[in-house]
Amino acid sequence: MGTVGERRVYDVAIIGAGPAGLTAGIYAARSGLDTVILERTAPGGLAATTFRIENYPGFPDGIEGPALASAMENQARKSGCSIMGYEVQSVVPPGSNGRAFALYTAEGRVESRTVIVATGTHEKQLGVPGERELRGRGVSYCATCDGPFFKGKRVAVVGGGDSAIAEALFLARVATRVTVIHRRDSLRAGRHLREAAMVNDRIAFLWNTVVTAVEGSETVERLHLRNVETGETSSLDVEGVFVYIGFVPNTAFLAGMVRLDDAGYVVVDESLETSVPGIFAAGDVRAKQVRQVVTAAADGAVAAMAAERFLAGGAARPAGKGATRAWPLRS
Ligand code: NAP
């Protein structure tokens, strides 16, 4: 299989163009490194599908997610980083005489001396009857993308975290009624979002409740529900259901390559280096406590600077942590 892209061997290949990958691209390219970002869909990641981001510094009135994502993409391109539309299917380390990692896509191979994994996460599904069949016909995982179709309609949001409540607030601007269905009796979402939702008279809550099926002939018509405390079953007539019950890391293509934790997130050290020297991970895809746009961007900067140190022959890991490289860095 041949190589794709104009250059044979990059210094840094970043997989994923969300806030972590774009920031890594900005830092790496500005350091003079040949940098490419490989993205299977559109740049921006989850930030691009978030209606409004109110806690990213520098925007006291908040900023729409797509606008922030697009500004990051422009900045990455302006910094000299190229962004290519390829899905990476596997990463192969340099052989004993090799000089670079090979990143395989369906169209060909990209070679790079270091790799930053910034592939983020994808939405967790309910796994109930009707969900898959009615996806795109009332079942959605993106309120920003699909919410406008529900103007004047009744919708449900499943979940009790930041995503569910932020998107319920967005949907309440267009839908007549937004019912938040949560499996417990208190929200996981932060205080700011919680309080805003509680006082919104278009938002109602169904506590201790799970969805057992999504029903509809052509499009979603109703949800079947079960109260987890009483076992009582009921149904709720809605035209749409937005599922926000957490995320799953996009790491299947790395299986057996770098160390993952039990949930599939990439395990890194404090310089964001993975178990394989020369491969770094940044943003939501790595094992960590806080997943915010600002922490993803910060990760991108840290990973790019660690990759730069690695390429310069210094240890990416802080002194004493013992990074050893098993292959030559430059041919
Ligand atoms: P999350 O924090 O993991 O919350 C998932 C929610 O879904 C929880 O309320 C959970 O219930 C519920 N849930 C999980 N599995 C379920 C199932 N099978 N059936 C029904 N309910 C289920 O996910 P998230 O809200 O998407 O947030 C992900 C990360 O992004 C978090 O770190 C969050 O802080 C961050 N984020 C931040 C913002 C922000 O503005 N600040 C916005 C969006 C996301 P339990 O509570 O019972 O576990």
Side-chain angles (χ1 to χ4, degrees):
M1 188 181 282
T3 52
V4 292
E6 351 50 269
R7 297 190 190 101
R8 293 286 303 177
V9 179
Y10 290 93
D11 291 321
V12 185
I14 298 160
I15 312 174
L22 291 169
T23 308
I26 292 166
Y27 273 73
R30 283 173 58 84
S31 300
L33 302 174
D34 278 346
T35 305
V36 63
I37 302 181
L38 304 166
E39 166 61 53
R40 64 179 170 181
T41 59
L46 278 183
T49 64
T50 303
F51 170 59
R52 201 162 186 80
I53 296 170
E54 295 191 331
N55 51 9
Y56 193 80
F59 301 95
D61 300 320
I63 179 167
E64 291 185 357
L68 181 61
S70 162
M72 288 182 179
E73 179 192 346
N74 290 342
Q75 195 173 351
R77 290 189 192 276
K78 209 171 153 190
S79 304
C81 157
S82 51
I83 302 178
M84 302 198 302
Y86 296 113
E87 174 168 9
V88 175
Q89 295 169 337
S90 63
V91 178
V92 175
S96 54
N97 297 319
R99 56 181 184 165
F101 292 95
L103 286 66
Y104 285 91
T105 76
E107 291 80 10
R109 185 175 77 233
V110 170
E111 292 186 336
S112 180
R113 296 182 178 92
T114 62
V115 176
I116 297 175
V117 177
T119 43
T121 56
H122 64 273
E123 68 276 348
K124 201 160 112 185
Q125 302 187 354
L126 290 166
V128 299
E131 180 184 24
R132 192 154 45 87
E133 295 80 351
L134 292 166
R135 183 176 185 143
R137 291 191 285 140
V139 175
S140 172
Y141 304 84
C142 178
T144 313
C145 323
D146 301 330
F149 298 120
F150 294 88
K151 192 168 174 21
K153 297 187 171 161
R154 298 159 300 177
V155 299
V157 171
V158 188
D162 284 331
S163 299
I165 303 309
E167 302 308 321
L169 286 163
F170 168 64
L171 288 164
R173 299 156 66 110
V174 288
T176 48
R177 189 82 173 151
V178 180
T179 305
V180 175
I181 301 167
H182 184 34
R183 65 182 179 182
R184 293 190 291 127
D185 64 359
S186 64
L187 297 174
R188 177 183 294 274
R191 188 170 67 97
H192 211 72
L193 289 169
R194 270 195 331 256
E195 288 179 356
M198 292 294 178
V199 299
N200 189 311
D201 57 14
R202 287 194 183 183
I203 299 180
F205 291 88
L206 276 178
W207 304 108
N208 300 313
T209 300
V210 292
V211 176
T212 53
V214 183
E215 190 192 317
S217 49
E218 292 295 318
T219 57
V220 170
E221 290 166 21
R222 72 189 53 81
L223 303 178
H224 292 267
L225 308 172
R226 180 168 52 82
N227 184 303
V228 293
E229 296 275 286
T230 63
E232 195 182 323
T233 57
S234 60
S235 68
L236 177 73
D237 288 349
V238 287
E239 282 85 30
V241 56
F242 291 82
V243 180
Y244 280 106
I245 60 169
F247 290 89
V248 181
N250 294 321
T251 51
F253 72 103
L254 289 173
M257 174 69 187
V258 300
R259 196 175 145 223
L260 305 177
D261 71 8
D262 291 344
Y265 290 94
V266 183
V267 176
V268 291
D269 65 15
E270 64 190 83
S271 60
L272 305 191
E273 194 166 28
T274 67
S275 57
V276 176
I279 303 186
F280 304 83
D284 286 6
V285 74
R286 77 169 178 97
K288 60 173 173 175
Q289 291 289 326
V290 179
R291 292 192 171 84
Q292 299 280 312
V293 181
V294 72
T295 60
D299 274 8
V302 172
M305 291 167 88
E308 187 188 357
R309 280 199 301 279
F310 181 94
L311 287 165
R317 291 184 168 88
K321 297 266 171 116
T324 51
R325 287 189 293 278
W327 47 81
L329 290 176
R330 295 201 184 253
S331 53

